[in-house]
Amino acid sequence: MTSPQPETDPTAGSADSSAPSPAPKPRLTQKQAKRAGQSARAMVISVLATLAIALLVVFMNPTSTEQTYERTVDVAATAEQASATAGFSAVAPRVPADWNATFARWNGAGVDQVEFWEAGYVTAGDDFAGFKQTLQANPTWLSQQMGNAPLTGTRSVDGTTWNLYEPADGDRHMVTELDGTTILITGSGDLAAMDTLAAAVHDSINDSAEDN
């Protein structure tokens, strides 16, 4: 009796023959390879040039330090320029040598219609002391400049009486009239520093009056 033969799969052995063959790797021509190399070199050169410019900027602008921000403004020279516009002699107080002037400027009239001259200093105790001077002061403007600080009394400096304004928290202020102008002094430190500035402002105005 003949044994039955196993059935054969007609697809067997044909899977490998029907599988797609791997795509051939593209080959660059000599010109294409040259252009690709040139592009890569150009990219490297561009990156290096950008890095060089960045380093140059860093070297020209050194890391910020405490000395970087410390600058001294020529208050006297700026006051002389402001006087030509102000209609009065802009004060240039001679403050202690260990004070540092940080700004001095003339402010044109804004919505409040008040023009004023001002300068500010960092004192030896690293506190702020500054002043404003104007011919056009009014109660509203003064109140705004002082943050609505209440009047708490008066203070006498070299024979001049100043109104003292002290908020519950924040800068204190002193106000008086000198040579027809309103002077507003503001300070974040003790009253002694404000007295020093008030005396210097008074002396500056007296010197200007004598010169005229």
Side-chain angles (χ1 to χ4, degrees):
M1 186 174 185
T2 305
S3 300
Q5 296 296 320
E7 294 182 1
T8 59
D9 186 350
T11 61
S14 64
D16 292 339
S17 61
S18 62
S21 58
K25 295 182 179 180
R27 294 184 179 180
L28 298 178
T29 64
Q30 185 175 4
K31 290 184 178 180
Q32 289 174 329
K34 184 177 181 181
R35 283 198 298 269
Q38 290 175 340
S39 298
R41 283 194 296 272
M43 183 180 297
V44 172
I45 292 172
S46 177
V47 170
L48 291 176
T50 302
L51 181 60
I53 294 173
L55 290 175
L56 179 61
V57 171
V58 170
F59 289 138
M60 293 179 66
N61 297 276
T63 303
S64 298
T65 62
E66 184 178 350
Q67 288 73 26
T68 305
Y69 292 102
E70 185 175 325
R71 58 179 183 145
T72 299
V73 175
D74 191 337
V75 176
T78 311
E80 186 175 350
Q81 297 171 359
S83 297
T85 303
F88 57 83
S89 294
V91 297
R94 289 189 292 273
V95 298
D98 52 4
W99 286 27
N100 182 49
T102 56
F103 68 87
R105 55 185 172 243
W106 171 252
N107 296 273
V111 294
D112 52 20
Q113 296 300 304
V114 176
E115 300 177 322
F116 62 95
W117 154 246
E118 67 174 340
Y121 308 84
V122 174
T123 69
D126 286 333
D127 294 312
F128 170 78
F131 70 86
K132 293 179 173 66
Q133 180 186 23
T134 182
L135 280 173
Q136 303 162 333
N138 58 67
T140 300
W141 181 81
L142 281 172
S143 182
Q144 290 174 343
Q145 297 301 312
M146 296 187 293
N148 299 314
L151 176 65
T152 59
T154 61
R155 194 166 182 83
S156 180
V157 181
D158 289 349
T160 299
T161 299
W162 296 75
N163 288 331
L164 178 63
Y165 296 81
E166 298 178 285
D169 184 30
D171 296 342
R172 289 181 283 196
H173 312 272
M174 291 166 51
V175 180
T176 196
E177 299 288 328
L178 291 173
D179 196 29
T181 65
T182 299
I183 307 292
L184 166 63
I185 287 178
T186 298
S188 64
D190 56 32
L191 287 172
M194 296 176 68
D195 289 348
T196 297
L197 181 54
V201 167
H202 187 273
D203 290 344
S204 176
I205 287 180
N206 284 344
D207 291 345
S208 296
E210 291 175 1
D211 291 340
N212 295 332

